[in-house]
Amino acid sequence: MGRDNTRSIPLCSFAPSGRRRRRALLPPQTAVSLTLQDVERIAQLARLDLPLDQRHELLNQLNGFFRIVEQMEAVDTRGVEPLYTPLSAVQAVSLRLREDAVTEPNQREANQASAPEVQDGLFLVPRVIE
């Protein structure tokens, strides 16, 4: 009997307290797998001229990445508190937050002195997208 490639993927969000909450279940999805045509299209959009052997290598790398993501999605994380640092899984870590205060002087004019065009404290750049 073949392997079933469908499953429900939980959609999660974080509550203001930092605790994860479940919203809903997404519909079952099939495994993600790219084709050589997908890689060629991605390369074209990125303006990359890849030889055929590099396209095949990239295809294997991308599909390997998607397999890893599918394995991570299969892990049941219900009841697991999110970590703000991996260290908090093995030791007590307190947040060392500094005061949100300006510590550097404003040097906008000096930083923009070499710019070709500046207006109202903003760098002006030529339009590149029509």
Side-chain angles (χ1 to χ4, degrees), residues 46-112:
R47 306 275 196 265
L48 298 174
D49 185 19
L50 299 175
L52 185 60
D53 60 327
Q54 285 184 345
R55 284 181 272 178
H56 282 287
E57 182 180 341
L58 185 58
L59 175 64
N60 290 333
Q61 290 174 352
L62 289 172
N63 282 332
F65 169 77
F66 287 126
R67 281 192 295 278
I68 291 169
V69 170
E70 290 168 3
Q71 290 174 357
M72 290 189 302
E73 287 176 342
V75 175
D76 182 12
T77 59
R78 284 179 286 193
V80 177
E81 292 293 322
L83 305 175
Y84 60 88
T85 174
L87 288 177
S88 61
V90 294
Q91 68 188 34
V93 178
S94 62
L95 285 176
R96 292 171 282 176
L97 300 177
R98 63 175 172 80
E99 184 182 339
D100 189 13
V102 176
T103 59
E104 298 291 324
N106 181 359
Q107 297 182 5
R108 178 183 290 171
E109 291 80 17
N111 292 333
Q112 293 180 334

Side-chain angles (χ1 to χ4, degrees), residues 21 33 74:
R21 64 178 178 218
S33 181

